[in-house]
Amino acid sequence: MTIRVACIGGGPGGLFFTALLKQRMPEADVVLFERNQASDAFGFGVVFSDATLRRINEADPVLRDGLKNFGKHWDSIEVWLKDDRRSFGGNGMAAIHRKTILRLLQERAAQVGVDMRFGQVAPRLDELGEYDLIVGADGANSLTREQLGEALGHTAETATAKFIWFGTTNLFNGLTFIHRRSEHGNFAAHAYPISDELSTFIVETDQETWRKAGLDEFDVSQPPGPSDAKTQRYLEKLFAEDIEGQPLVANNSRWANFRTRQTKTWHCGNVALLGDAVHTAHFSVGSGTKMAMEDAVVLAREVAAHAGNLELALTNYEAERQPEVAKIQNSARPSLSWWEHFSRYYQAFEPLQFTFHFFSRSIDIEKIRQRDPELVDAAEKEWKEIHGADPLNTPLQAGPVSFDGRLLRLTTSQGTPVLVAGAQELPLTEVPEEASGSTGLLITAPDTEDGLDAVLENLSGTPAFVVIAGGNPFTRSLLSEEARLARGLTSIMVNDDPDTAPAVTLILSGRADAVAINEAPAFHSDKAFDA
Ligand SMILES: Cc1cc2nc3c(=O)[nH]c(=O)nc-3n(C[C@H](O)[C@H](O)[C@H](O)COP(=O)(O)OP(=O)(O)OC[C@H]3O[C@@H](n4cnc5c(N)ncnc54)[C@H](O)[C@@H]3O)c2cc1C
């Protein structure tokens, strides 16, 4: 059967969807509205992890060929700080200029007969009655989503960190994270090559530093076009050594706060949404374009398979894509949080521990070792040189309490939580005022970041040590870091997994001073690492 389809938005998601649908249904009438001209492209590059492109490449090799012919490929990620450069191998990735991937997708869509209308803002939904299906692929500020109203259950969570997107003519070898401290505070750049002429250069900082540096003067409410020249000059100077004196290149470059978007329902009647319009994940996990293109693959397949029953097609699309997107968004959360705290880590850790902390955001030491044994060897060697033993066998002094090693147990005795360390059995209290001398304070982490402030109020007094249970690995980690890095307390993180790899990871990375394996059913929580 033949259907009429209107797609709003010609970013990677909309272009790929229309091209795939038209390939599967040559008889369909497929129109794409894009408000920009075909050659316009804001931003710089897009980075993809090699391991994650199977589904997109199977649907159409346009991205794979584009990366091969025009992209840049690398295997190692580098971290630069305090005159130290570390690399983490085994991370195959490739990047391409956004302009190039859009051009290639436009060519593919043209080849198969998509009617692309550039320079045209899409009509409102109520003016698109002639179409059987309308697809909103109109990006993070989707007007389509807005017109569908609150029934979709859309939420947007704004990160506290500020970011700005530049390019630079300095060519980096691969994905490079550069940390610099100015008299105003910490800045970090995510840099990677996207062509023979250009690298992407995204910079992040915290709100306070941004204000102190006077980088808050640019009027971000003015229409797209002008870039923040003052920031450009400031960052060119701060990162001069890293970009080898080359300029930063601006393209509508302005400070913003990243917004993580989630949406409960991705379709309503004959309107379906895809890509950034319904979900975003922090750019440090490099998945936005991939997710939009994967949405396109599944939506095109389902519409082609059930053109006579679009409700079924859209329901299937949503059922298949939502769990996969949720998984990526879950892994992006700790990553985003890392970027909100990098100044704390910069000040607390030496470069090697800082690097290990960064790479262990969502994977444990054994997974890191599989990719790059040298990095792990170096981190373990440095720990041993400083402490004289490996992490789990390093003694720990917490106030008057001495632990021979750092792998402990949490259990209960007659309803009271007890920390077991060798032959010692130390009762714990959950009442801050009772925690003193050799009595440790047991804190229950919240299930989400929103609950952290309330729990932090309990982190008062001068306990010999704090034991952090409950919640999930992410919230326990945030609490543990607050305890040890910001408040100078000895922190023992509870872990359900009896495997030693997560425990070694937590200690070696500086997230915790020690780990207690959870043997108390009352405190069971999620697994430590799921990546
Ligand atoms: C700093 C930063 C770095 C990023 N880095 C990466 C990365 O490395 N890897 C990665 O995969 N992703 C990255 N992303 C995310 C990526 O850019 C997006 O996830 C991706 O572009 C989403 O594609 P989309 O097609 O859903 O939306 P978009 O690319 O936003 O496309 C939407 C299109 O709709 C058009 N449009 C909007 N409204 C209308 C209208 N009313 N009528 C007509 N047209 C309209 C817009 O002009 C636009 O062309 C990054 C994002 C940011 C902010």
Side-chain angles (χ1 to χ4, degrees):
M1 75 171 282
T2 180
I3 58 167
R4 304 202 69 200
V5 179
C7 179
I8 304 173
L15 285 167
F16 203 41
F17 165 73
T18 50
L20 289 174
L21 186 70
K22 195 71 182 149
Q23 281 172 50
R24 284 178 177 265
M25 300 184 78
E27 71 288 2
D29 185 1
V30 182
V31 177
L32 180 142
F33 298 96
E34 169 53 54
R35 65 182 171 195
N36 291 332
Q37 298 304 325
S39 57
D40 289 346
F42 292 125
F44 293 91
V46 197
V47 62
F48 298 93
S49 161
D50 286 354
T52 61
L53 296 181
R54 184 187 51 81
R55 173 178 277 173
I56 293 172
N57 292 339
E58 276 172 10
D60 188 317
V62 59
L63 177 62
R64 185 191 64 205
D65 295 347
L67 288 170
K68 196 164 132 224
N69 298 331
F70 304 100
K72 289 282 160 189
H73 193 272
W74 62 84
D75 185 60
S76 292
I77 301 175
E78 295 206 0
V79 176
W80 298 359
L81 76 155
K82 303 178 187 170
D83 297 324
D84 187 283
R85 293 184 175 194
R86 299 278 163 184
S87 100
F88 177 27
N91 291 287
M93 287 184 176
I96 191 166
H97 203 304
R98 179 171 158 105
K99 208 171 0 190
T100 308
I101 189 65
L102 288 180
R103 176 175 57 79
L104 295 172
L105 289 168
Q106 288 166 7
E107 282 169 11
R108 177 65 96 240
Q111 274 164 14
V112 293
V114 175
D115 174 2
M116 287 178 284
R117 302 184 187 170
F118 291 102
Q120 275 195 35
V121 171
R124 292 187 59 83
L125 291 178
D126 53 15
E127 295 164 17
L128 290 168
E130 71 206 86
Y131 293 95
D132 302 301
L133 172 67
I134 301 163
V135 173
D138 46 351
N141 297 316
S142 169
L143 211 62
T144 312
R145 185 188 66 224
E146 213 169 274
Q147 289 176 74
L148 293 175
E150 289 181 6
L152 294 181
H154 179 75
T155 56
E157 203 180 315
T158 305
T160 57
K162 310 289 302 183
F163 78 91
I164 189 163
W165 202 344
F166 286 105
T168 171
T169 48
N170 183 59
L171 292 187
F172 287 89
N173 291 328
L175 183 55
T176 309
F177 295 106
I178 309 162
H179 295 266
R180 287 269 165 200
R181 190 168 168 80
S182 75
E183 71 267 39
H184 306 112
N186 283 73
F187 291 82
H190 309 224
Y192 53 88
I194 55 171
S195 70
D196 289 337
E197 290 87 38
L198 212 59
S199 296
T200 285
F201 201 81
I202 305 167
V203 177
E204 291 200 79
T205 190
D206 59 88
Q207 188 104 357
E208 199 188 328
T209 304
W210 173 72
R211 284 236 162 78
K212 266 198 216 154
L215 302 180
D216 55 350
E217 288 165 12
F218 185 85
D219 174 14
V220 291
S221 66
Q222 58 188 301
S227 294
D228 183 341
K230 180 176 178 185
T231 293
Q232 187 177 0
R233 285 194 304 275
Y234 182 96
L235 297 176
E236 270 172 352
K237 202 166 149 208
L238 181 65
F239 289 99
E241 206 181 310
D242 312 298
I243 54 177
E244 299 182 4
Q246 305 252 1
L248 292 182
V249 180
N251 177 356
N252 196 38
S253 306
R254 300 150 174 222
W255 289 104
N257 294 68
F258 189 81
R259 306 191 85 190
T260 301
R261 297 179 177 278
Q262 292 177 307
T263 313
K264 283 207 174 78
T265 311
W266 296 4
H267 80 280
C268 180
N270 70 335
V271 184
L273 294 156
L274 64 73
D276 273 16
V278 269
H279 51 70
T280 56
H282 191 245
F283 47 85
S284 59
V285 296
S287 293
T289 305
K290 176 184 105 85
M291 288 194 294
M293 291 179 76
E294 285 180 341
D295 287 353
V297 172
V298 177
L299 184 59
R301 187 192 70 209
E302 289 301 318
V303 170
H306 307 288
N309 184 352
L310 284 175
E311 180 55 29
L312 176 66
L314 304 190
T315 304
N316 288 351
Y317 155 66
E318 223 177 86
E320 181 170 337
R321 287 300 295 148
Q322 285 198 343
E324 293 178 18
V325 165
K327 215 167 147 194
I328 292 173
Q329 289 189 310
N330 281 342
S331 76
R333 199 171 303 135
S335 189
L336 182 151
S337 167
W338 194 93
W339 287 101
E340 288 189 312
H341 293 99
F342 66 83
S343 149
R344 167 183 283 180
Y345 307 138
Y346 180 98
Q347 288 172 66
F349 302 138
E350 289 307 314
L352 185 52
Q353 191 173 32
F354 179 96
T355 304
F356 186 75
H357 185 276
F358 176 62
F359 289 127
S360 56
R361 296 187 314 285
S362 59
I363 54 174
D364 75 23
I365 186 167
E366 295 312 326
K367 293 222 169 76
I368 299 176
R369 200 193 302 277
Q370 279 166 17
R371 292 189 207 170
D372 191 338
E374 276 176 31
L375 175 70
V376 174
D377 285 353
E380 288 178 325
K381 193 162 162 248
E382 186 180 83
W383 177 280
K384 215 164 181 168
E385 274 166 15
I386 296 170
H387 300 280
D390 61 54
L392 296 187
N393 292 310
T394 299
L396 177 66
Q397 191 67 37
V401 186
S402 305
F403 298 103
D404 292 339
R406 299 193 179 210
L407 190 60
L408 316 170
R409 292 189 291 132
L410 176 69
T411 178
T412 47
S413 171
Q414 294 172 346
T416 304
V418 174
L419 186 69
V420 182
Q424 297 185 87
E425 291 202 359
L426 303 160
L428 303 171
T429 177
E430 294 181 68
V431 182
E433 296 75 36
E434 290 174 5
S436 61
S438 61
T439 306
L441 176 65
L442 179 70
I443 289 193
T444 303
D447 290 332
T448 66
E449 282 170 279
D450 295 343
L452 280 172
D453 284 346
V455 177
L456 282 172
E457 282 175 16
N458 289 334
L459 206 56
S460 55
T462 49
F465 53 89
V466 290
V467 176
I468 298 168
N472 57 53
F474 174 47
T475 53
R476 286 201 296 279
S477 241
L478 288 177
L479 269 182
S480 180
E481 289 178 351
E482 176 68 25
R484 70 182 301 268
L485 303 181
R487 308 189 185 207
L489 296 166
T490 298
S491 168
I492 299 169
M493 249 177 88
V494 175
N495 201 0
D496 285 350
D497 191 346
D499 184 8
T500 53
V504 175
T505 313
L506 291 168
I507 297 164
L508 197 58
S509 65
R511 287 184 173 85
D513 292 291
V515 171
I517 302 297
N518 192 5
E519 295 176 357
F523 298 108
H524 276 300
S525 51
D526 296 341
K527 254 180 97 235
F529 290 96
D530 56 10

